[in-house]
Structures are given as C-alpha cells and as structure tokens.
Amino acid sequence: MTPDINDLIAHEAPMILIDRVIDHTEEWIETEVVITEDTPFLKGGQVPSYVVIEYMAQSIAALSGLKAHAKQEEIKIGFLLGTRKLSLQRDHFAIGDVIRVEAKSLYDDGSMGSLDCLAKIAGDVIAEARLNVYQPNEEEMEKEGSQ
C-alpha cells in the first residue's frame, strides 16, 4: 500500500500541491492533482500552467520519499535546481481538471538527479520538462548548517 502523500514529501499544508501517488517503480512515478476550489494558486477559477513545474518537483520528491519509506529512512528535503526543455501546451488549469504527472529518472548519483517529466489531462500531454534536482546527504546538510 502506498503511503499518504503527506508522509512522502517534506512540505506541509497548504504547500502540498499533489494529491496522491497513482503508481511507481524504483525509477518512475505517476501522481495526480485535482484542481478544486481549494487548490493553492487558484485565482478566478484558474491555476496558471507554470505551477505544473512544482507539481513535477513534488512528484519527484514523492518518488524520493517512497525510496526512503522502503528503507525506513527519514524523508529528506530536496531542491529544484532548474529545468530544461520546458514546454507548456496551455496557459491555465481549471476547476475540475485532473492532472496526471509522470517523472522518470535519467540520472541519480544519490544527491544530484535529472528526471524527464510530463503532465497529462485526459491522456493529452499538456506539459513536458527535464528537471534537475539536488538532495543533500546528511554530511552536506551538516556542512551547510555550520556555515
């Protein structure tokens, strides 16, 4: 059974933007976001499409959280370093939209990673990006904390 999304990422409400994990493997995840009247960043019944990059980043965080959960380790904070090849096929999401986000690992050295991500509504691709992420290990976190 997949843990609740609140137990997989190092965010707290209201900044947990994805609703649940649909499916996953060791190197891939699919998550879901349902746009409702309570969705963060909703204004005038719409969420700007550029928010999808955070949906992608949180999906990556959930994949990392699943790996940590399987090893009975703590959930660690991670950082979005940037994106390449971002492509948005629409300018907003509307109430009722169900967005499926997929992230597939291309590179992972334990701290640095690169993942291909896409988002779909009703099977149609509405956004694609390659995200570069960083998750410091304990030694790196201690070093940063002492500076």
Side-chain angles (χ1 to χ4, degrees):
M1 185 167 153
T2 302
D4 185 87
I5 198 67
N6 296 300
D7 298 327
L8 295 176
I9 60 178
H11 287 59
E12 293 181 15
M15 290 311 298
I16 297 174
L17 303 184
I18 58 177
D19 296 316
R20 67 187 182 110
V21 173
I22 301 296
D23 197 6
H24 66 92
T25 67
E26 183 74 16
E27 303 298 323
W28 169 87
I29 191 166
E30 181 180 21
T31 62
E32 182 177 81
V33 178
V34 179
I35 305 299
T36 69
E37 288 139 1
D38 299 323
T39 298
F41 305 108
L42 183 76
K43 187 173 182 178
Q46 301 177 340
V47 175
S49 63
Y50 57 78
V51 175
V52 78
I53 196 166
E54 183 62 19
Y55 299 158
M56 292 174 176
Q58 288 192 18
S59 296
I60 293 168
L63 180 60
S64 178
L66 285 163
K67 290 176 185 180
H69 187 268
K71 296 176 186 175
Q72 298 182 334
E73 297 176 350
E74 280 189 47
I75 303 302
K76 296 185 229 170
I77 191 167
F79 302 95
L80 172 62
L81 298 179
T83 183
R84 294 188 306 175
K85 301 181 183 180
L86 175 63
S87 171
L88 302 172
Q89 306 306 318
R90 53 170 51 194
D91 61 352
H92 69 274
F93 307 120
I95 293 173
D97 283 343
V98 177
I99 304 166
R100 292 280 179 102
V101 178
E102 296 180 32
K104 182 178 188 242
S105 180
L106 301 172
Y107 172 80
D108 181 358
D109 72 2
S111 291
M112 301 289 289
S114 184
L115 297 94
D116 273 344
C117 301
L118 59 89
K120 298 177 183 178
I121 295 178
D124 295 327
V125 175
I126 51 95
E128 295 179 83
R130 178 167 293 164
L131 272 57
N132 297 312
V133 294
Y134 171 63
Q135 187 175 56
N137 60 37
E138 304 231 357
E139 183 179 297
E140 292 166 325
M141 288 294 285
E142 288 174 15
K143 183 178 176 184
E144 288 295 320
S146 67
Q147 293 182 0

